[in-house]
Amino acid sequence: RVDQSIAITLEAGVSLGAMPIHRFGTDAQRAEYLPDLLAGRALAGFGLTEPEAGSDAGATRTTARRDGEEWVINGSKQFITNSGTDITRFVTVTAVTGESGGRKQISTIIVPNGTPGFTVEPGYDKVGWRASDTHPLSFTDARVPVSHLLGEEGRGFANFLHILDEGRI
């Protein structure tokens, strides 16, 4: 009510950072990430918006392909809230992981900060909401274990729509 930057930091931290882990995470993912997120010791971002696709998840160009027991992620995201703070622990990203019936299968994958090939670009110099942490992200052969898949493979788009519906007031 008083400061929109603080409000969006909290809203994004809860609805886009913690809620996907709560709703769709495995028991191991919940145990690893939720205690710090819920206690305010960590933040997380959700990487949906892309330079060429906006927030149209169906137009996602970021890809994640399996290579043995790892996901290899390539692409970029933009306008990602809570993605570059000192306490940001990870960003969950939407990525094309396959195709079925001529349609992209979009999944969500947890990418911890510090993952080689995952770069948090310099923050935006915004006119408003200046205290809100917002960055573009890039992924160049970023590798994470297959256990970082959040929810079922190919259900990332549907799961994210569910999260957006819950978070909007």
Side-chain angles (χ1 to χ4, degrees):
R1 184 173 131 173
V2 174
D3 185 329
Q4 292 178 351
S5 292
I6 298 301
I8 193 61
T9 298
L10 178 60
E11 169 60 18
V14 173
S15 70
L16 300 178
M19 193 58 76
I21 302 294
H22 171 68
R23 291 277 184 237
F24 308 112
T26 63
D27 288 341
Q29 290 167 340
R30 287 186 196 108
E32 181 174 351
Y33 297 115
L34 285 181
D36 286 342
L37 292 173
L38 297 177
R41 293 184 296 265
L43 284 172
F46 198 101
L48 169 68
T49 305
E50 294 193 359
E52 301 297 319
S55 57
D56 174 10
T60 296
R61 292 186 179 183
T62 297
T63 61
R65 66 172 173 77
R66 274 191 77 160
D67 182 21
E69 291 301 309
E70 295 180 312
W71 290 107
V72 181
I73 305 167
N74 286 286
S76 61
K77 302 292 182 179
Q78 67 180 6
F79 308 123
I80 309 305
T81 303
N82 295 340
S83 57
T85 75
D86 290 343
I87 63 170
T88 298
R89 182 139 179 226
F90 65 90
V91 176
T92 301
V93 299
T94 55
V96 177
T97 54
E99 191 176 296
S100 177
R103 300 178 88 180
K104 293 178 183 177
Q105 288 186 311
I106 298 172
S107 301
T108 49
I109 300 172
I110 300 165
V111 183
N113 279 22
T115 297
F118 169 35
T119 303
V120 178
E121 304 292 346
Y124 294 104
D125 185 18
K126 300 178 291 187
V127 174
W129 293 15
R130 293 181 64 83
S132 168
D133 176 78
T134 313
H135 296 262
L137 310 175
S138 61
F139 304 88
T140 306
D141 293 331
R143 292 177 171 268
V144 297
V146 294
S147 63
H148 282 58
L149 178 70
L150 182 60
E152 292 179 47
E153 187 173 348
R155 296 282 305 156
F157 179 67
N159 291 348
F160 187 66
L161 288 178
H162 179 81
I163 293 298
L164 283 179
D165 284 345
E166 278 188 344
R168 290 186 173 141
I169 53 173

